[in-house]
Amino acid sequence: MSTQLMTANHAAGLAATLAGRANRRGRGFGSGVYPITPQTECIEFLCKQDIEKGHVVRVESEHSAMAVCIGFSMAGLRAYTASSSNGLAYMTENVFAAGFYRLPIVMMAVNRTMGPPWNIWVDHGDTLMLRDAGWIQLYCEDNQDLMDLSLMCFRVAEDPRILVPAMLGQDAFVLSHTIMQIEVPDQAQVDRFLPPLDLPHRLTDQPRTVGGLDFPHEIEQHREHHAAAMNRVFEVYAEAQDAFEAVFGRRPADPVVPYRLDDAELALVSMGTTASTARAAVDEARRKGIRAGSLRVNLFRPFPERQLAAQLAGIERVAILDRDLSPGMGGILWGESRALAPRDALVQNYMLGLGGGDVRPEHLVAVIDDLAGLERAGAPIIQEVA
Amino acid sequence: MNEPALGGIAQRAQDRPEPILRPGNTNCGGCGMSIGWQFLSRAVAHEPIQIVIPACCGIVTAGPYPYSAYGAPILASTFASAAAMATGLSQAARLNGEATRVLCWAGDGGTYDIGMATLSAAAERNENILYICYDNEIYGNTGGQRSSATPLGAVTTTTPIGKEVGKKDIVGIMAAHGIAYAASLSLAHPDDAMRKFRHCLDLEGFRFLHILSPCPTGWKSEPADGVQLLRLAVSSGLYPVIEVFDGERTVINVEPSFSYEDLATYFAAQARFKRERYSLEAVAARIQRNWRRLRVQAAASAALAEPLPEPAGAPLAV
Ligand SMILES: Cc1ncc(C[n+]2csc(CCOP(=O)(O)OP(=O)(O)O)c2C)c(N)n1
Ligand code: SF4
Ligand SMILES: [Mg+2]
């Protein structure tokens, strides 16, 4: 273990490299990569690494990047890729395919605004578009998360009780290009945390067709198995947190992360880096005597419904902070979680930082003030911060 | 003239005990693709293989889960991704020291159209893949729409008055990538076809085979006529049977007679060609142009064998 300064992109690339090397004792590591701002440094890093029993294919598109990972993973190798915004949109068909083939591929996704018009800054709408693709989804708050949650993704996705792919979101530039101090594990530690992948349904030389035709009855069963595997993630994730702590001496973030919620009357619910800004705003509000708290949603798929409801019990006013907009509906996090607040609670949706607008503590203090004064919840609000 | 089939030998000791495409598959009667599989089965014999098949008739024929009409491991890929998924499988075999040969078996839609960028990229990277395109000149699986392999004049559900442009030169396109081997083969010329299958199964790097594949359903022809139609396509010069080595050496494998009568019979036997919608003269003129080009290429290939003169003067200083 060592302490190093690095960007989130490098932390992700390094985590993938360590995980890839750890499978030299198994069938090896494979990746298909295609560049897009702000993910490029991650895959450039990966392309420079020397990975024993590993290979990185420089493909012609994101669609093929995921397809190559599917090929590697189907052959029983540990597989990894990274993308962002329009790259994810272009990749989408094969993102679903990876989910339905039940392959434990890991993908880092830098959250960036979908275009055109072109905008390279943070917005969660790109990965949220993929929430129904049958992948585990996690959203990072700092660079350490890129290291720790990447390794967690491999561990949980590859668990024989799970076998679904995992996607790790991180905020464009706020994390991707920002240098922070992080703890970097040794290869020997990663080897201990990530046993060699043994994919039970890998393609061998046995005659069989993978991904052929399913009639309704088979689809019903396959979807049911998929959903059941997703529901087991909570348990397997918790076990993996314990194992992680035993090996690395730190505990990766819980599915939902509360802050000063115990005696709170009012809560800010958010994902990604907005959660750390929310903590600063909560402290500020508390200084003014407002009993505020914050709740970060780290795991978005499977959706931690029970954990959210338990944390929000007793809260009277909830602001759900989205960095995304589903036009004609509102914030996606709001849409999914508004029913989880107590029945009498006032739940208001605020969308802040769309297109990468810089969300600062004062913006969230203003949200708290607004929320505290509301008589009833209104339509979702797009709060301009830029 | 008909070729004697594989020297008259029907089954040999080294053949697979069962074909890759087994009985019980759902291909239409008279489907050319089915014949193609029988050739491939023989050529592959007992070698370990994995096959990627994108969306097309070739994957529907496998039947529903958990059955498989294929006696080989098959990965059913998304429509555009055969060559990329095969890349992963093939690189995985290399990393693990396995002798598995990775093949793609794709229709013209998955090859000429939606899969083109992926295919081109895999060829450019020279992945160790044998890519086989069975070309029925139509989107068969979705009920018969045009593709960029549909020939001039053919009526499809999306070209109701007949297609107004011709098809792409797929062997030329693939050969231009400089791959080790790109060839077209005729299922009506079994010795040449089997030689090609065997030759490219043994090569390393990216290899491409194009198979014109009669489709009675799409061509509106008699199921029993497929092989005869292929003979006509070859003899008339409409379908050149050639091979290109390393993107530079072109060899013509079957000399056509350029029979106008054969061409007329080929068109008349398929109801997709409506007499009032095509001009045989125009088709014949295209055949002429195509063959002039092919002959120039083949002749130039012979010249390639001759050594170049020594470069004159001193090397350029840089
Ligand atoms: C992305 C995508 N677009 C469209 C389709 C629908 N589709 C399935 S097969 C097919 C045509 C296949 O044509 P071809 O490759 O020539 O094979 P054939 O069916 O003729 O054997 C189409 C359009 C699909 N499966 N995926
Ligand atoms: S539609 Fe054509 S290509 Fe498809 S199975 Fe039938 S004959 Fe074969
Ligand atoms: Mg076709």
Side-chain angles (χ1 to χ4, degrees), chain B residues 63-127:
Chain B
Y65 178 88
Y67 305 106
S68 178
Y70 285 111
I74 306 286
L75 171 55
S77 80
T78 48
F79 196 13
S81 298
M85 291 198 191
T87 295
L89 290 177
S90 153
Q91 290 286 354
R94 179 183 65 80
L95 288 172
N96 285 280
E98 292 158 349
T100 312
R101 288 144 193 240
V102 178
L103 283 67
C104 293
W105 182 273
D108 46 305
T111 303
Y112 288 65
D113 292 342
I114 200 166
M116 179 49 90
T118 308
L119 168 62
S120 170
E124 182 254 344
R125 296 191 305 267
N126 198 28
E127 298 291 347

Side-chain angles (χ1 to χ4, degrees), chain A residues 27 63 94 101 208-210 213, chain B residues 65 68 74 76 78 81 98:
Chain A
R27 289 181 59 75
H63 195 268
N94 282 334
Y101 289 129
R208 141 180 116 86
T209 296
V210 182
L213 297 184
Chain B
Y65 178 88
S68 178
I74 306 286
T78 48
S81 298
E98 292 158 349

Side-chain angles (χ1 to χ4, degrees), chain A residues 297-313:
Chain A
V297 178
N298 169 32
L299 183 67
F300 186 78
R301 277 293 179 276
F303 195 63
E305 198 174 301
R306 269 191 296 133
Q307 292 86 331
L308 264 165
Q311 293 291 346
L312 293 177

Side-chain angles (χ1 to χ4, degrees), chain A residues 26-30 53-55 57-61 63-72 74-75 77 90 93-94 97 101 202-215 218 222, chain B residues 18 22 48-51 59-60 62-81 84-89 91-96 98 117-118 121-122 125 127:
Chain A
R27 289 181 59 75
F29 171 77
K53 210 170 174 183
H55 184 69
V57 185
R58 285 75 162 167
V59 293
E60 84 297 346
S61 72
H63 195 268
S64 288
M66 184 51 66
V68 162
C69 286
I70 288 170
F72 276 123
M74 193 62 85
L77 280 70
Y90 198 67
E93 183 191 31
N94 282 334
Y101 289 129
R202 83 177 167 87
L203 203 66
T204 58
D205 40 16
Q206 279 312 102
R208 141 180 116 86
T209 296
V210 182
L213 297 184
D214 260 18
F215 286 139
E218 283 69 44
H222 284 147
Chain B
E18 60 172 12
R22 300 185 280 204
I49 50 168
Q50 292 177 336
I51 309 173
I59 198 61
V60 175
Y65 178 88
Y67 305 106
S68 178
Y70 285 111
I74 306 286
L75 171 55
S77 80
T78 48
F79 196 13
S81 298
M85 291 198 191
T87 295
L89 290 177
Q91 290 286 354
R94 179 183 65 80
L95 288 172
N96 285 280
E98 292 158 349
T118 308
R125 296 191 305 267
E127 298 291 347

Side-chain angles (χ1 to χ4, degrees), chain B residues 26-34 56-58 61 134 136 138-141 213-219:
Chain B
T26 61
N27 274 350
C28 308
C31 175
M33 187 226 308
S34 300
C56 61
C57 286
T61 197
Y134 70 92
N136 60 1
I138 202 165
Y139 290 179
N141 183 29
S213 182
C215 168
T217 312
W219 294 10

